[in-house]
Structure formats: C-alpha cells, structure tokens
Amino acid sequence: MTIDEIFRAARQQCRYLYSEQEINAMVRVLLQHYINLTSTQLYTEPDFQFSIANAQLLTDALHQLSTGRPLQYITGKTEFCGLPFEVNEQVLIPRPETEELVRWAVEELKAYAEPVVLDLCTGSGCIAIAVAKQCPTAKVLACDISAEALAVAQRNAERNNVAVEFFQCDILDSSKFKTHHSSLIILSNPPYVRNSEKALMRKNVLDHEPHTALFVDDEDPLVFYRAIAAIAKQYMQSDSFVMVEINEALATETTQVFRDAGFTSLELRQDINGKDRTVKINKKACCRKSIA
Ligand code: GLN
C-alpha cells in the first residue's frame, strides 16, 4: 500500500460521512500519527510504500473512520488552545468554541492577582488546564461527575505540566458540592444539547461522544445552569465572575436563569459562526445602600 492508495481508499470508504477536504486532512493526520511521515513526504512521495505492519495499522484506522469513529478518538489525541490533550470515549472532544471561552476568561483573569478558578463539568480538563497554563498565578480546581473523565483530565494536566485540583462531583446534587474556597471564579461548558436536537447532529458525534457530557432533557434543558447559578451565589464574593458556554438557541432563557438568581450584569458573546455562545456573569461589588 502506498500514500496515494491510502488517500484513494479513504475517499472511497468515508465519502458518505465526510467531505473530500475533511477526508484528506484526516488521512494526513493518520499518516503523521502512525508513520511519522513529514508533510513534505506526503506531497512529494505518493508512491511511498508502507511496511506490512503499517499498512495494517492504517487499514484498521480507516475502517474505524468509515464507521464514524471520530479521528481524535482513533489517534487518542487532539489539540486545544495549542496544547496537546489525550481524549477517549469518556470525554467530549474539545471544540473551537470553547477555546473562545478560554481566551475571554484568560483576558479577564489578568485583572486578578491570585484568582481561584473552578471549572465545572471539566471532561477532558481542557478549560481548567488551558487556563492554568496561561494564568500561572491562578489556583485551578475542576470537577466532573465521571471518574473516568477525571482520570483522563488528570493525565492531561500532567502532560501539560500544570497543577489542577480535580475532584468528583455531581453538581446537580447540590448537597454534594463543597469547597473551602470562599471566593471563586467559575467557568463551565456543561451539557446543553437538547435530546430533540439530536437530529441535527452528525453521526460521528451522536454515536461516539459521551451522552452525559452532551445531552439534557427537553423538559429541563437549563438544569446545569441553575446548578451553576446556585453554586455561584454561594461561593462567589464581589468582583468575581462566571463564564459559561451555552446552547445558541437558548441564550435568552439561559441568561434569565442567572437573572433569576440575582445576577444583573451579564454579557453575551457570539462564536466565530455568529452564534450566541458564551455568557459572562459579573458579580459586582455590592452597591452601597442609599440612606433614606
Ligand atoms: N458544542 C457541543 C456540540 O455541539 C456541545 C457541548 C456541550 O453540550 N456542552 O457538540
């Protein structure tokens, strides 16, 4: 099997799932991952012959790709904010929209000397780890309901050489959430895709990514945001903030959850696709009571 042949086989096997451009990009990643070919070789040596063992590895990877298994789960890795992350089926593959949340949060965190940052529903640990990397003076905590996800997140923190304090917690069970830190900055990308929105999702996401990290009931799609608002009320002092990724179809409803919890200063930003995606909720220093 040659380079040229693997590209042709991939286009043939994956044509119903991905565009030709996507397939070519994915094959390049596979070739670099398994064979360690340079990108120049990919273009200049189309007749490069793989060893039998490597041809077998690539054939197997292609087969997985053709069943819709995401490329990042096949190679077991991805990049987020320019950092390397291990991923597997226990964690969501970090999305570019979430990088935008990190960028905004890091910008805001510059105003704090030694902030304590808590990432709720951390999954692969991507938000917590990218923040810890970019804000070395921050103390970063992160939790998730899944022990398996936390194991991946812990390895990712080690891989990126940052200290993040991980703990297991179901934030929907408010009695379980406890921390001795009294002033937190809270970041989160909780599950927010409604079950009814499954029809809009691609098969590779639907069949392979962890449903507990993605989906919420249509009857109560903002349940995680209410839990976040409750934690924020209890564990935030003034001059702090919450930043959350949201379902673009539920921006008004999501901001209302925070207004109902007593937060009045909110900012909404769109992602690169122009969709309502990130909300920053400010907890301002308390106004002085006016004297009658
Ligand atoms: N943005 C992700 C997606 O559409 C969902 C992330 C989430 O539920 N928090 O696949």
Short mmCIF file of all heavy atoms in Angstrom, two decimals, residues 103-152:
data_model
loop_
_atom_site.label_atom_id
_atom_site.label_comp_id
_atom_site.label_asym_id
_atom_site.label_seq_id
_atom_site.Cartn_x
_atom_site.Cartn_y
_atom_site.Cartn_z
N ARG A 103 -10.13 32.02 25.91
CA ARG A 103 -9.44 33.26 25.55
C ARG A 103 -10.04 34.45 26.31
O ARG A 103 -9.33 35.28 26.86
CB ARG A 103 -9.55 33.48 24.03
CG ARG A 103 -8.34 34.19 23.45
CD ARG A 103 -8.34 34.18 21.93
NE ARG A 103 -8.41 32.83 21.39
CZ ARG A 103 -9.23 32.45 20.41
NH1 ARG A 103 -10.05 33.30 19.85
NH2 ARG A 103 -9.22 31.21 19.97
N TRP A 104 -11.36 34.48 26.35
CA TRP A 104 -12.05 35.58 27.04
C TRP A 104 -11.76 35.51 28.55
O TRP A 104 -11.42 36.51 29.18
CB TRP A 104 -13.55 35.50 26.74
CG TRP A 104 -14.37 36.67 27.22
CD1 TRP A 104 -13.89 37.84 27.73
CD2 TRP A 104 -15.80 36.78 27.22
NE1 TRP A 104 -14.95 38.68 28.06
CE2 TRP A 104 -16.13 38.05 27.75
CE3 TRP A 104 -16.83 35.94 26.81
CZ2 TRP A 104 -17.45 38.48 27.89
CZ3 TRP A 104 -18.15 36.37 26.94
CH2 TRP A 104 -18.45 37.62 27.49
N ALA A 105 -11.86 34.31 29.09
CA ALA A 105 -11.63 34.15 30.55
C ALA A 105 -10.20 34.57 30.92
O ALA A 105 -9.99 35.30 31.89
CB ALA A 105 -11.89 32.71 30.96
N VAL A 106 -9.23 34.15 30.13
CA VAL A 106 -7.83 34.47 30.42
C VAL A 106 -7.61 35.99 30.38
O VAL A 106 -6.92 36.56 31.22
CB VAL A 106 -6.88 33.74 29.43
CG1 VAL A 106 -5.47 34.29 29.49
CG2 VAL A 106 -6.89 32.24 29.71
N GLU A 107 -8.24 36.63 29.42
CA GLU A 107 -8.17 38.09 29.31
C GLU A 107 -8.70 38.74 30.59
O GLU A 107 -8.07 39.65 31.14
CB GLU A 107 -9.05 38.47 28.10
CG GLU A 107 -8.82 39.83 27.49
CD GLU A 107 -7.36 40.10 27.19
OE1 GLU A 107 -6.71 39.22 26.61
OE2 GLU A 107 -6.89 41.20 27.57
N GLU A 108 -9.83 38.25 31.07
CA GLU A 108 -10.45 38.82 32.28
C GLU A 108 -9.63 38.50 33.53
O GLU A 108 -9.56 39.29 34.45
CB GLU A 108 -11.88 38.28 32.46
CG GLU A 108 -12.82 38.60 31.31
CD GLU A 108 -13.15 40.09 31.24
OE1 GLU A 108 -13.04 40.78 32.27
OE2 GLU A 108 -13.51 40.56 30.14
N LEU A 109 -9.02 37.33 33.54
CA LEU A 109 -8.29 36.89 34.74
C LEU A 109 -7.03 37.74 34.99
O LEU A 109 -6.49 37.74 36.09
CB LEU A 109 -7.92 35.41 34.62
CG LEU A 109 -9.10 34.44 34.88
CD1 LEU A 109 -8.75 33.03 34.43
CD2 LEU A 109 -9.48 34.44 36.35
N LYS A 110 -6.59 38.46 33.95
CA LYS A 110 -5.40 39.31 34.12
C LYS A 110 -5.62 40.36 35.20
O LYS A 110 -4.67 40.87 35.78
CB LYS A 110 -5.08 40.02 32.79
CG LYS A 110 -4.47 39.09 31.77
CD LYS A 110 -4.12 39.83 30.51
CE LYS A 110 -3.62 38.87 29.46
NZ LYS A 110 -3.86 39.38 28.11
N ALA A 111 -6.89 40.68 35.48
CA ALA A 111 -7.19 41.72 36.47
C ALA A 111 -7.09 41.18 37.91
O ALA A 111 -7.25 41.94 38.86
CB ALA A 111 -8.60 42.27 36.22
N TYR A 112 -6.85 39.89 38.06
CA TYR A 112 -6.81 39.29 39.40
C TYR A 112 -5.40 38.83 39.74
O TYR A 112 -4.72 38.23 38.89
CB TYR A 112 -7.76 38.07 39.46
CG TYR A 112 -9.21 38.42 39.21
CD1 TYR A 112 -9.68 38.61 37.90
CD2 TYR A 112 -10.10 38.58 40.26
CE1 TYR A 112 -11.00 38.95 37.66
CE2 TYR A 112 -11.43 38.92 40.03
CZ TYR A 112 -11.87 39.10 38.73
OH TYR A 112 -13.18 39.42 38.49
N ALA A 113 -4.99 39.07 40.98
CA ALA A 113 -3.63 38.71 41.36
C ALA A 113 -3.47 37.19 41.52
O ALA A 113 -2.63 36.57 40.86
CB ALA A 113 -3.25 39.43 42.65
N GLU A 114 -4.29 36.59 42.38
CA GLU A 114 -4.20 35.15 42.61
C GLU A 114 -5.60 34.54 42.62
O GLU A 114 -6.10 34.10 43.67
CB GLU A 114 -3.48 34.87 43.94
CG GLU A 114 -1.99 35.15 43.83
CD GLU A 114 -1.25 34.91 45.13
OE1 GLU A 114 -1.87 34.91 46.21
OE2 GLU A 114 -0.03 34.73 45.06
N PRO A 115 -6.23 34.49 41.46
CA PRO A 115 -7.62 34.02 41.44
C PRO A 115 -7.73 32.52 41.71
O PRO A 115 -6.82 31.75 41.39
CB PRO A 115 -8.06 34.32 40.00
CG PRO A 115 -6.80 34.30 39.21
CD PRO A 115 -5.73 34.83 40.12
N VAL A 116 -8.86 32.14 42.31
CA VAL A 116 -9.18 30.71 42.44
C VAL A 116 -10.26 30.43 41.40
O VAL A 116 -11.35 30.99 41.44
CB VAL A 116 -9.68 30.36 43.85
CG1 VAL A 116 -9.95 28.86 43.94
CG2 VAL A 116 -8.67 30.79 44.91
N VAL A 117 -9.92 29.57 40.45
CA VAL A 117 -10.81 29.31 39.32
C VAL A 117 -11.34 27.88 39.43
O VAL A 117 -10.58 26.94 39.66
CB VAL A 117 -10.03 29.47 37.98
CG1 VAL A 117 -10.93 29.19 36.78
CG2 VAL A 117 -9.42 30.86 37.88
N LEU A 118 -12.65 27.76 39.25
CA LEU A 118 -13.26 26.42 39.31
C LEU A 118 -13.93 26.12 37.98
O LEU A 118 -14.77 26.88 37.50
CB LEU A 118 -14.30 26.39 40.44
CG LEU A 118 -15.21 25.17 40.49
CD1 LEU A 118 -14.41 23.90 40.75
CD2 LEU A 118 -16.29 25.34 41.56
N ASP A 119 -13.55 24.99 37.37
CA ASP A 119 -14.15 24.55 36.11
C ASP A 119 -15.14 23.43 36.43
O ASP A 119 -14.73 22.35 36.88
CB ASP A 119 -13.03 24.07 35.17
CG ASP A 119 -13.56 23.45 33.88
OD1 ASP A 119 -14.73 23.67 33.54
OD2 ASP A 119 -12.77 22.73 33.22
N LEU A 120 -16.43 23.69 36.19
CA LEU A 120 -17.45 22.69 36.49
C LEU A 120 -17.73 21.86 35.23
O LEU A 120 -17.87 22.42 34.14
CB LEU A 120 -18.74 23.38 36.95
CG LEU A 120 -18.63 24.22 38.23
CD1 LEU A 120 -19.90 25.05 38.43
CD2 LEU A 120 -18.38 23.33 39.44
N CYS A 121 -17.85 20.56 35.35
CA CYS A 121 -18.06 19.62 34.24
C CYS A 121 -16.84 19.66 33.32
O CYS A 121 -16.95 19.93 32.11
CB CYS A 121 -19.32 19.93 33.44
SG CYS A 121 -20.80 20.17 34.43
N THR A 122 -15.71 19.38 33.88
CA THR A 122 -14.43 19.61 33.17
C THR A 122 -14.14 18.65 32.02
O THR A 122 -13.40 18.97 31.10
CB THR A 122 -13.27 19.62 34.20
OG1 THR A 122 -12.10 20.17 33.59
CG2 THR A 122 -12.95 18.22 34.72
N GLY A 123 -14.68 17.43 32.07
CA GLY A 123 -14.45 16.47 30.97
C GLY A 123 -12.97 16.16 30.82
O GLY A 123 -12.30 15.71 31.76
N SER A 124 -12.43 16.47 29.65
CA SER A 124 -11.00 16.21 29.39
C SER A 124 -10.09 17.12 30.19
O SER A 124 -8.87 16.96 30.17
CB SER A 124 -10.70 16.42 27.90
OG SER A 124 -10.92 17.79 27.58
N GLY A 125 -10.69 18.11 30.86
CA GLY A 125 -9.89 19.08 31.63
C GLY A 125 -9.45 20.26 30.79
O GLY A 125 -8.67 21.10 31.24
N CYS A 126 -10.00 20.36 29.58
CA CYS A 126 -9.43 21.33 28.63
C CYS A 126 -9.49 22.78 29.13
O CYS A 126 -8.50 23.51 29.04
CB CYS A 126 -10.04 21.18 27.24
SG CYS A 126 -11.80 21.47 27.17
N ILE A 127 -10.64 23.19 29.69
CA ILE A 127 -10.74 24.59 30.13
C ILE A 127 -9.79 24.83 31.30
O ILE A 127 -8.98 25.77 31.29
CB ILE A 127 -12.20 24.93 30.56
CG1 ILE A 127 -13.14 24.87 29.35
CG2 ILE A 127 -12.26 26.30 31.23
CD1 ILE A 127 -14.60 25.14 29.68
N ALA A 128 -9.87 23.94 32.29
CA ALA A 128 -9.05 24.12 33.50
C ALA A 128 -7.56 24.16 33.16
O ALA A 128 -6.81 25.01 33.66
CB ALA A 128 -9.34 22.99 34.48
N ILE A 129 -7.14 23.23 32.32
CA ILE A 129 -5.71 23.10 32.01
C ILE A 129 -5.21 24.28 31.16
O ILE A 129 -4.14 24.84 31.42
CB ILE A 129 -5.44 21.74 31.34
CG1 ILE A 129 -5.67 20.63 32.39
CG2 ILE A 129 -4.05 21.66 30.73
CD1 ILE A 129 -5.84 19.24 31.81
N ALA A 130 -6.01 24.68 30.18
CA ALA A 130 -5.59 25.81 29.35
C ALA A 130 -5.52 27.09 30.18
O ALA A 130 -4.61 27.90 30.00
CB ALA A 130 -6.55 25.99 28.17
N VAL A 131 -6.45 27.24 31.13
CA VAL A 131 -6.42 28.42 32.00
C VAL A 131 -5.20 28.35 32.92
O VAL A 131 -4.47 29.34 33.10
CB VAL A 131 -7.74 28.54 32.80
CG1 VAL A 131 -7.59 29.54 33.95
CG2 VAL A 131 -8.89 28.96 31.88
N ALA A 132 -4.97 27.18 33.50
CA ALA A 132 -3.82 27.04 34.41
C ALA A 132 -2.52 27.35 33.67
O ALA A 132 -1.60 27.96 34.22
CB ALA A 132 -3.79 25.62 34.98
N LYS A 133 -2.45 26.91 32.42
CA LYS A 133 -1.24 27.14 31.63
C LYS A 133 -1.02 28.63 31.36
O LYS A 133 0.10 29.12 31.41
CB LYS A 133 -1.39 26.38 30.30
CG LYS A 133 -0.14 26.16 29.54
CD LYS A 133 0.64 24.98 30.08
CE LYS A 133 2.01 24.90 29.50
NZ LYS A 133 2.82 23.89 30.16
N GLN A 134 -2.12 29.30 31.06
CA GLN A 134 -2.00 30.71 30.66
C GLN A 134 -2.05 31.70 31.83
O GLN A 134 -1.74 32.86 31.65
CB GLN A 134 -3.09 31.04 29.64
CG GLN A 134 -2.89 30.27 28.34
CD GLN A 134 -4.00 30.53 27.33
OE1 GLN A 134 -4.22 31.67 26.96
NE2 GLN A 134 -4.69 29.49 26.91
N CYS A 135 -2.51 31.24 32.98
CA CYS A 135 -2.57 32.11 34.18
C CYS A 135 -1.82 31.41 35.30
O CYS A 135 -2.43 30.79 36.19
CB CYS A 135 -4.00 32.34 34.63
SG CYS A 135 -5.09 32.93 33.36
N PRO A 136 -0.49 31.47 35.29
CA PRO A 136 0.30 30.70 36.26
C PRO A 136 0.02 31.07 37.71
O PRO A 136 0.28 30.26 38.60
CB PRO A 136 1.74 31.02 35.87
CG PRO A 136 1.70 31.72 34.57
CD PRO A 136 0.32 32.25 34.37
N THR A 137 -0.52 32.26 37.97
CA THR A 137 -0.77 32.63 39.37
C THR A 137 -2.14 32.14 39.86
O THR A 137 -2.47 32.27 41.03
CB THR A 137 -0.71 34.16 39.58
OG1 THR A 137 -1.75 34.75 38.79
CG2 THR A 137 0.64 34.72 39.21
N ALA A 138 -2.93 31.59 38.96
CA ALA A 138 -4.26 31.12 39.35
C ALA A 138 -4.17 29.77 40.05
O ALA A 138 -3.34 28.93 39.69
CB ALA A 138 -5.16 31.01 38.13
N LYS A 139 -5.03 29.57 41.03
CA LYS A 139 -5.20 28.23 41.59
C LYS A 139 -6.41 27.65 40.87
O LYS A 139 -7.48 28.27 40.84
CB LYS A 139 -5.46 28.33 43.09
CG LYS A 139 -5.90 27.01 43.67
CD LYS A 139 -5.60 26.88 45.14
CE LYS A 139 -5.84 25.46 45.64
NZ LYS A 139 -5.03 24.45 44.96
N VAL A 140 -6.24 26.49 40.25
CA VAL A 140 -7.33 25.96 39.42
C VAL A 140 -7.87 24.66 39.99
O VAL A 140 -7.12 23.72 40.27
CB VAL A 140 -6.86 25.76 37.95
CG1 VAL A 140 -8.03 25.30 37.08
CG2 VAL A 140 -6.27 27.05 37.40
N LEU A 141 -9.20 24.64 40.15
CA LEU A 141 -9.90 23.44 40.61
C LEU A 141 -10.84 23.01 39.49
O LEU A 141 -11.30 23.85 38.71
CB LEU A 141 -10.76 23.74 41.83
CG LEU A 141 -10.24 24.69 42.90
CD1 LEU A 141 -11.37 25.09 43.83
CD2 LEU A 141 -9.13 24.01 43.67
N ALA A 142 -11.14 21.72 39.43
CA ALA A 142 -12.05 21.26 38.38
C ALA A 142 -12.77 20.01 38.84
O ALA A 142 -12.19 19.16 39.51
CB ALA A 142 -11.26 20.96 37.10
N CYS A 143 -14.06 19.91 38.47
CA CYS A 143 -14.79 18.70 38.86
C CYS A 143 -15.60 18.15 37.71
O CYS A 143 -15.85 18.83 36.71
CB CYS A 143 -15.67 18.97 40.07
SG CYS A 143 -17.09 19.99 39.71
N ASP A 144 -15.97 16.91 37.87
CA ASP A 144 -16.80 16.22 36.88
C ASP A 144 -17.54 15.10 37.60
O ASP A 144 -17.08 14.61 38.63
CB ASP A 144 -15.92 15.64 35.75
CG ASP A 144 -16.72 15.41 34.48
OD1 ASP A 144 -17.40 14.36 34.38
OD2 ASP A 144 -16.69 16.27 33.59
N ILE A 145 -18.65 14.67 37.02
CA ILE A 145 -19.39 13.56 37.62
C ILE A 145 -18.69 12.23 37.35
O ILE A 145 -18.83 11.27 38.10
CB ILE A 145 -20.85 13.54 37.07
CG1 ILE A 145 -21.69 12.54 37.84
CG2 ILE A 145 -20.86 13.25 35.58
CD1 ILE A 145 -23.16 12.56 37.46
N SER A 146 -17.91 12.18 36.25
CA SER A 146 -17.35 10.91 35.78
C SER A 146 -15.91 10.67 36.26
O SER A 146 -15.01 11.47 35.95
CB SER A 146 -17.41 10.89 34.25
OG SER A 146 -16.45 10.03 33.71
N ALA A 147 -15.72 9.57 36.97
CA ALA A 147 -14.37 9.22 37.44
C ALA A 147 -13.46 8.93 36.24
O ALA A 147 -12.27 9.26 36.25
CB ALA A 147 -14.44 8.00 38.35
N GLU A 148 -14.05 8.33 35.20
CA GLU A 148 -13.26 8.01 34.00
C GLU A 148 -12.78 9.29 33.32
O GLU A 148 -11.64 9.37 32.86
CB GLU A 148 -14.07 7.17 33.00
CG GLU A 148 -14.40 5.77 33.47
CD GLU A 148 -15.63 5.71 34.36
OE1 GLU A 148 -16.27 6.77 34.57
OE2 GLU A 148 -15.93 4.61 34.87
N ALA A 149 -13.66 10.27 33.25
CA ALA A 149 -13.26 11.56 32.65
C ALA A 149 -12.16 12.20 33.49
O ALA A 149 -11.17 12.73 32.96
CB ALA A 149 -14.46 12.49 32.53
N LEU A 150 -12.32 12.14 34.81
CA LEU A 150 -11.33 12.77 35.69
C LEU A 150 -9.95 12.13 35.53
O LEU A 150 -8.93 12.80 35.65
CB LEU A 150 -11.79 12.70 37.14
CG LEU A 150 -12.94 13.66 37.49
CD1 LEU A 150 -13.50 13.35 38.87
CD2 LEU A 150 -12.49 15.12 37.42
N ALA A 151 -9.93 10.82 35.27
CA ALA A 151 -8.64 10.15 35.07
C ALA A 151 -7.96 10.70 33.81
O ALA A 151 -6.75 10.94 33.79
CB ALA A 151 -8.85 8.64 34.96
N VAL A 152 -8.75 10.91 32.77
CA VAL A 152 -8.20 11.49 31.53
C VAL A 152 -7.71 12.92 31.81
O VAL A 152 -6.61 13.30 31.42
CB VAL A 152 -9.27 11.52 30.40
CG1 VAL A 152 -8.75 12.23 29.17
CG2 VAL A 152 -9.71 10.10 30.05
#
